Amino acid sequence: MSADPYSGRVRALFEHPVHAGSLEQAPQVLIEDQGVRIALTAQAEDGRIRAFRFRAYGCPHVVAAAEALCERYEGRPVAELEAFEAVDLVRDLPVPAEKTGRILVIEDAARSLGKTLRDVSGS
Amino acid sequence: MAPKTDQRDMIYLDYAASTPVDPHVADLMADLLKSSGEHGNPSSAHAFGRRATTRIAHAAVQLGALLNVDPASLTWTSGATESDNLAILGAARLAQHRGRHLITMRTEHKAVTDAFDRLQREGFEVTWLDPGTDGLLDLAALEAEFRADTQLVSVMHVNNETGVIQDIAGIGALCRARGVLFHVDAAQSVGKLALDLAELPVDLLSMTAHKVYGPKGIGALYIADRPGVAVEPLLYGGGQQRGLRPGTLPTHQIAGFGLAAEIARESMHDDLERLTGLRDRLWGGIRDLPGIHVNGAKDARFPGILNVSIEDVEGESLLLALEPLCVATGSACNSTNSEPSYVLRALGRSDALAQSAIRFSFGRPTTGEEIDAAIDRYRLAVGKLRALAPECAA
């Protein structure tokens, strides 16, 4: 007996990952852990994220979470990305408890990218 | 007879998990369930009971004809899981005075492995044989494991994940030469591959109706009429079926199984030819994808199943990206579990390759157009997920 393991939001984000891809000449973070491989790249200007892209190898929840991250933080201050907590995505999508560890990989990558963007911009 | 769900664009390619009920079978069962049908208890001595008994006897003749066995050697059960349990637990416990050593394979269905786990906890000693990378059992490896106290060997005919066909004639011959009982889980092969049990050295054989266009909830266990072949019951009650499997017999389900068996017997040759064509068409459409692997033996494989793994594609995402194809990642019983298949791991596949495995399985209603759609969808999904994935870290 199996109910649909994916919410409508997860399905939509997985099916149409409009932020999938990479940005030339932009800082990038690549992390591989727990069977997940995530690459985040972003361009920042005046302390704000102007463009945010991801690539991901992982389950549908990982892909959806990466897309939701980009969607949420594009246009937001870099400092907010540094303080990103995966628990928000886990709750919103939602992500089942047994997959939380995979979303924490995204959290690590997001925070690391936020720090890199701050270091690069010198802000 | 296309098994469509409420979404018309769904394509069902999971016939190894279950088949739709053949319309002739469904009609027969519906008739039997009506007030004008066979509602009498087959154990009753009156006319209604006798009519129900006649129906059940006819179904046993139909199933017996499919397997070339005496109908009296068939015991009705709720399905292959119960048949496996009755055969393995029932035979091992009854004949434990002959020995407490048992042999099976790591790639068996859970209905078999869990039954052997249970016997291990009861003090039996179980030898778990690994297959080769092709999924086949090496007969010499089996031969080397026989002991004086070996009592029972259980090996499935067609593997439910890979479709690999074991040499049950060869295995059975080794068992028979040593006086060891041989059980075969034939859930995936009864009604699909020719099985002449008058010729094959098989003592116990499990089967189910719902893999062969019959209803769910009914199966059977063949028990050879030979000295030393017997099982003790798992259930106790009204003494039906010689006390081996008591309980009121479900006339409509048994009749449905019987008719499904008769239809399978008549259509087996054509079915196999069609399935081979469909399987080859699908493989021909995806075999050029880089990093794709067929799981299981090249030749000794049931044509109704094609199990493929692919490098650099995550399995759960692949399954979702394949929608509206209804396929399986492993056995249906494991479909909600993202753990790599234990069957494919036993074939030596890495976790990543085992986890990327997709089992396509075909049936009588499958069309060439559905196969072409599956090819397109698989290629599209693989391309999308590979484009989405970052390069590996150096």
Side-chain angles (χ1 to χ4, degrees):
Chain A
M1 304 273 271
S2 56
D4 190 344
Y6 310 112
S7 66
R9 174 112 170 103
V10 168
R11 283 179 171 275
L13 292 167
F14 177 82
E15 200 165 327
H16 302 292
V18 296
H19 292 87
S22 53
L23 298 167
E24 294 293 320
Q25 310 290 321
Q28 175 178 295
V29 167
L30 173 64
I31 294 184
E32 189 165 2
D33 194 15
Q34 304 212 21
V36 170
R37 199 161 72 240
I38 180 89
L40 298 177
T41 177
Q43 288 170 339
E45 203 176 292
D46 299 330
R48 283 186 177 274
I49 299 170
R50 310 292 287 186
F52 200 175
R53 296 288 182 272
F54 80 95
R55 286 192 191 278
Y57 172 96
C59 69
H61 288 99
V62 165
V63 174
E67 171 61 23
L69 173 78
C70 294
E71 183 184 87
R72 184 175 297 183
Y73 283 90
E74 210 169 46
R76 301 270 289 271
V78 169
E80 288 187 17
L81 186 62
E82 276 193 89
F84 166 68
E85 290 192 2
V87 65
D88 293 340
L89 288 182
V90 168
R91 197 182 304 123
D92 289 353
L93 291 177
V95 177
E98 66 272 17
K99 289 185 174 179
T100 305
R102 302 178 192 179
I103 309 304
L104 289 174
V105 178
I106 297 178
E107 180 183 278
D108 289 345
R111 289 182 174 190
S112 175
L113 181 63
K115 182 177 183 308
T116 303
L117 289 171
R118 178 164 54 82
D119 292 345
V120 167
S121 66
S123 60
Chain B
M1 187 167 149
K4 305 297 184 190
T5 68
D6 54 343
Q7 296 184 44
R8 281 176 297 169
D9 56 353
M10 289 281 181
I11 296 175
Y12 187 80
L13 293 176
D14 200 14
Y15 291 84
S18 195
T19 57
V21 176
D22 183 283
H24 297 98
V25 172
D27 287 348
L28 171 66
M29 291 178 67
D31 285 346
L32 293 177
L33 283 169
K34 290 173 186 164
S35 58
S36 56
E38 301 295 3
H39 61 270
N41 189 322
S43 297
S44 299
H46 52 61
F48 282 95
R50 290 198 302 275
R51 274 174 39 186
T53 298
T54 301
R55 282 280 184 186
I56 289 169
H58 179 61
V61 168
Q62 290 169 308
L63 183 56
L66 176 67
L67 303 169
N68 195 20
V69 297
D70 180 349
S73 63
L74 299 168
T75 299
W76 304 111
T77 65
S78 62
T81 294
E82 186 189 335
S83 296
D84 287 336
N85 276 267
L86 179 57
I88 295 164
L89 300 175
R93 288 171 180 163
L94 184 66
Q96 54 187 302
H97 60 279
R98 293 209 311 248
R100 291 169 70 84
H101 177 235
L102 316 166
I103 301 175
T104 190
M105 293 186 71
R106 289 196 196 281
T107 48
E108 293 292 303
H109 190 279
K110 282 285 181 187
V112 168
T113 60
D114 284 0
F116 277 98
D117 281 340
R118 171 70 209 179
L119 289 169
Q120 269 185 317
R121 290 198 296 277
E122 292 178 15
F124 286 84
E125 195 177 340
V126 179
T127 295
W128 300 89
L129 293 171
D130 283 312
T133 55
D134 56 6
L136 289 167
L137 175 62
D138 177 3
L139 295 192
L142 169 63
E143 203 166 7
E145 295 297 340
F146 281 111
R147 305 185 333 203
D149 63 340
T150 303
Q151 186 223 114
L152 172 72
V153 169
S154 180
V155 175
M156 73 201 309
H157 190 198
V158 169
N159 186 274
N160 54 305
E161 291 193 36
T162 61
V164 165
I165 304 171
Q166 299 292 349
D167 176 11
I168 58 171
I171 297 166
L174 290 177
C175 293
R176 187 119 336 158
R178 290 159 180 80
V180 173
L181 288 181
F182 180 37
H183 167 251
V184 174
D185 175 356
Q188 292 289 344
S189 63
V190 164
K192 298 174 182 175
L193 294 177
L195 272 169
D196 183 347
L197 293 178
E199 294 295 323
L200 284 167
V202 171
D203 299 310
L204 302 156
L205 185 131
S206 301
M207 63 203 103
T208 189
H210 77 99
K211 310 279 192 190
V212 62
Y213 309 95
K216 293 172 181 62
I218 186 72
L221 175 66
Y222 160 74
I223 304 173
D225 183 18
R226 281 197 327 113
V229 182
V231 299
E232 68 172 39
L234 302 179
L235 304 173
Y236 297 90
Q240 292 93 339
Q241 302 198 84
R242 306 170 305 284
L244 272 184
R245 204 285 191 173
T248 301
L249 290 171
T251 309
H252 63 294
Q253 285 177 289
I254 293 171
F257 191 4
L259 181 54
E262 184 175 300
I263 294 169
R265 184 165 160 248
E266 290 164 356
S267 64
M268 190 182 297
H269 177 78
D270 290 345
D271 284 349
L272 277 172
E273 204 166 293
R274 277 196 76 249
L275 293 175
T276 303
L278 293 168
R279 190 265 314 269
D280 292 349
R281 184 165 173 164
L282 176 56
W283 177 234
I286 59 177
R287 65 182 303 165
D288 64 317
L289 286 168
I292 196 164
H293 306 269
V294 173
N295 293 311
K298 183 171 177 287
D299 297 318
R301 204 149 41 81
F302 171 60
I305 293 176
L306 177 65
N307 188 315
V308 293
S309 290
I310 190 151
E311 297 168 16
D312 305 322
V313 177
E314 202 277 337
E316 189 185 337
S317 283
L318 179 58
L319 193 66
L320 183 57
L322 285 174
E323 286 186 357
L325 296 186
C326 297
V327 292
T329 47
S331 69
C333 310
N334 282 333
S335 60
T336 56
N337 183 346
S338 60
E339 288 294 306
S341 150
Y342 69 92
V343 171
L344 300 183
R345 294 291 291 118
L347 268 61
R349 292 296 191 207
S350 66
D351 280 353
L353 269 184
Q355 208 254 353
S356 75
I358 295 291
R359 180 189 68 185
F360 299 93
S361 53
F362 326 108
R364 266 180 225 149
T366 306
T367 65
E369 289 71 28
E370 287 178 322
I371 295 297
D372 291 342
I375 291 168
D376 290 344
R377 195 72 205 174
Y378 188 80
R379 297 186 74 94
L380 196 69
V382 167
K384 172 187 170 176
L385 293 174
R386 281 183 168 164
L388 204 59
E391 297 292 322
C392 290

